[in-house]
Amino acid sequence: MSAERYTLSVAVFILLRQDNEICMLKRSGTGWMDGYYSLPAGGLEDGETLSMAAARELKEETGVSIAPEKLQHAHTLHVRTEGRSWIGHFFTGNTWTGKPRLAEPDKHSEIIWKHLTRLPEETVPYVRQAIEEINQQNPYSEYGW
């Protein structure tokens, strides 16, 4: 008898940085945590590396381009939300091409720059936790267990 291996979905998040500020998007029209701020983010697709997925999501959501090799892995977050678990990988990027804009206005209503230690009150809770852990240089944390 063989055991079925448990699988997790994987998400990527990008802290686009200018000095001590990061680019954040206000969720809108998605039906989930609308009105809350998050980072450019999305799911890993078949055939992608984590850094490739992060670069793709950043381009899709903000219109800016970054080479995957220019992204630095900053944190891994094991999350349990809504009865399921998943893994989030957080990357930082300091060098990109283009000006950040709302490239998916059907999913976001605002784009802002916020200081790493002064996040909006309405920040998605697990995103807030990951950013706080990154600020403390902790490579791993868990949320919702």
Side-chain angles (χ1 to χ4, degrees), residues 3 9 17 19 21 29 50 67 95 97-98 107 114 121 137 142:
S9 61
R17 289 186 66 157
D19 300 317
E21 292 190 327
L50 293 171
T95 308
T97 304
K107 296 179 181 177
K114 293 301 286 185
E121 188 70 30
Q137 298 182 332
E142 298 168 348

Side-chain angles (χ1 to χ4, degrees), residues 20-69:
N20 288 321
E21 292 190 327
I22 56 172
C23 181
M24 299 188 80
L25 300 167
K26 188 174 191 178
R27 297 181 57 82
S28 172
T30 67
W32 186 81
M33 304 236 33
D34 290 337
Y36 279 74
Y37 290 90
S38 189
L39 301 168
L44 178 69
E45 295 181 359
D46 188 33
E48 288 182 317
T49 65
L50 293 171
S51 59
M52 288 167 60
R56 175 184 52 77
E57 287 291 348
L58 184 64
K59 177 77 170 174
E60 288 175 3
E61 295 189 3
T62 68
V64 302
S65 298
I66 192 165
E69 62 273 11

Side-chain angles (χ1 to χ4, degrees), residues 6-131:
Y6 180 69
T7 58
L8 293 169
S9 61
V10 176
V12 292
F13 297 80
I14 305 89
L15 285 80
L16 195 61
R17 289 186 66 157
Q18 283 184 330
D19 300 317
N20 288 321
E21 292 190 327
I22 56 172
C23 181
M24 299 188 80
L25 300 167
K26 188 174 191 178
R27 297 181 57 82
S28 172
T30 67
W32 186 81
M33 304 236 33
D34 290 337
Y36 279 74
Y37 290 90
S38 189
L39 301 168
L44 178 69
E45 295 181 359
D46 188 33
E48 288 182 317
T49 65
L50 293 171
S51 59
M52 288 167 60
R56 175 184 52 77
E57 287 291 348
L58 184 64
K59 177 77 170 174
E60 288 175 3
E61 295 189 3
T62 68
V64 302
S65 298
I66 192 165
E69 62 273 11
K70 296 289 186 186
L71 291 165
Q72 296 290 319
H73 185 264
H75 191 73
T76 297
L77 181 66
H78 191 185
V79 181
R80 185 159 190 82
T81 55
E82 300 175 354
R84 67 180 188 91
S85 64
W86 52 276
I87 298 284
H89 295 280
F90 290 74
F91 290 85
T92 60
N94 300 312
T95 308
W96 63 86
T97 304
K99 182 179 178 190
R101 62 181 172 79
L102 289 177
E104 292 183 322
D106 56 321
K107 296 179 181 177
H108 307 108
S109 62
E110 184 180 3
I111 188 168
I112 61 172
W113 289 91
K114 293 301 286 185
H115 193 278
L116 279 164
T117 61
R118 293 188 293 276
L119 302 176
E121 188 70 30
E122 302 84 14
T123 298
V124 173
Y126 58 78
V127 170
R128 175 183 298 280
Q129 176 180 310
I131 293 169

